[in-house]
Amino acid sequence: MHEGEIMRWISIEQLANEFGLSKRTLQNRLSNGSAMPPSYKIGKRRMFLRDEVDAWIASTRVETSIRTQGGRR
């Protein structure tokens, strides 16, 4: 983050929507220590920094290849 940049926060509800998961699933993942982007407790809300979520997603990227057999996929 650079000086003068605005921190963009997203809620756990917004993150759940982006990931196609329920809020409860993300809360469970946070509780049991499963892989999740860094989060912050702000008041009673669990919040995520957009840049950190994007960096976390990029860091979990897995290269895949599609093997073809006889010209089929």
Side-chain angles (χ1 to χ4, degrees):
M1 182 145 221
H2 296 76
E3 188 176 333
E5 282 188 46
I6 297 173
M7 292 189 302
R8 294 184 345 197
W9 294 96
I10 60 172
S11 68
I12 195 166
E13 293 87 1
Q14 291 168 309
L15 191 63
N17 187 51
E18 282 188 32
F19 287 173
L21 300 170
S22 70
K23 175 184 171 184
R24 188 75 207 135
T25 296
L26 294 187
Q27 289 171 325
N28 288 340
R29 292 185 68 130
L30 287 166
S31 301
N32 68 25
S34 295
M36 285 286 292
S39 65
Y40 302 85
K41 188 81 175 191
I42 301 174
K44 294 183 179 183
R45 300 197 68 184
R46 178 68 60 177
M47 301 294 288
F48 302 83
L49 280 172
R50 171 86 267 161
D51 291 344
E52 291 181 352
V53 170
D54 293 342
W56 180 81
I57 290 169
S59 75
T60 62
R61 180 176 176 210
V62 176
E63 291 293 328
T64 58
S65 63
I66 299 174
R67 293 183 138 187
T68 59
Q69 187 175 33
R72 297 161 129 182
R73 286 186 178 199

